[in-house]
Amino acid sequence: MATTRTATTQWKGALLDGSGTVSLDSSGVGTFDVSWPSRAEQANGKTSPEELIAAAHSSCFSMALSHGLAQAGTPPQTVETKADVTFQPGEGITGIVISVRAQVPGLSAEEFQKAAETAKANCPVSKALAGTTISLDAELLS
């Protein structure tokens, strides 16, 4: 069954001196301030499209990796994923680095690397961002 998730942004003013809010409508978990300085300079308590992409990518990757490992008979004890999305004003999103650390009993480092690469390739958010360079740093913890 397909699902649709919705977020709404209200923006006032021009790009450089304007600001807005983005609300996570489907979940209702919150409304967050956004602005150009929070995107191109310092966050200063506000979010950005890139931070929201990082949140989507890190959670999607974690789910894909966890599922793949469980399907292979080696469910993880823990998976911690960080996504760094780099934005260059005037150029756009220039890359994403996914860093994952996981505890997976009974799995070799090579098997973990393969599972992480598969998750990176097949995570729906990775697929949606296919026009962007996505790098992976995967480490199996003991």
Side-chain angles (χ1 to χ4, degrees):
M1 167 168 57
T3 59
T4 300
R5 299 294 182 252
T6 305
T8 303
T9 299
Q10 298 289 328
W11 188 266
K12 293 180 183 168
L15 174 63
L16 297 181
D17 62 356
S19 63
T21 59
V22 58
S23 62
L24 305 182
D25 300 339
S26 300
S27 64
V29 298
T31 299
F32 305 93
D33 293 331
V34 294
S35 69
W36 176 255
S38 69
R39 185 176 197 184
E41 299 166 17
Q42 295 297 318
N44 292 323
K46 298 178 181 176
T47 194
S48 68
E50 291 72 27
E51 184 176 36
L52 296 170
I53 289 170
H57 207 174
S58 66
S59 58
C60 182
F61 177 88
S62 291
M63 290 178 184
L65 179 59
S66 178
H67 179 66
L69 290 167
Q71 291 278 75
T74 54
Q77 287 181 339
T78 63
V79 174
E80 180 178 302
T81 305
K82 178 175 81 164
D84 293 314
V85 177
T86 301
F87 173 76
Q88 177 64 46
E91 195 173 334
I93 295 174
T94 58
I96 300 171
V97 176
I98 297 171
S99 300
V100 60
R101 306 294 178 260
Q103 292 180 317
V104 188
L107 199 67
S108 71
E110 294 79 22
E111 291 168 321
F112 178 70
Q113 185 68 39
K114 183 178 177 186
E117 290 288 349
T118 299
K120 183 186 99 164
N122 294 310
C123 153
V125 172
S126 289
K127 288 181 176 185
L129 299 171
T132 302
T133 301
I134 302 171
S135 304
L136 176 65
D137 172 24
E139 181 181 341
L140 182 64
L141 303 174
S142 54

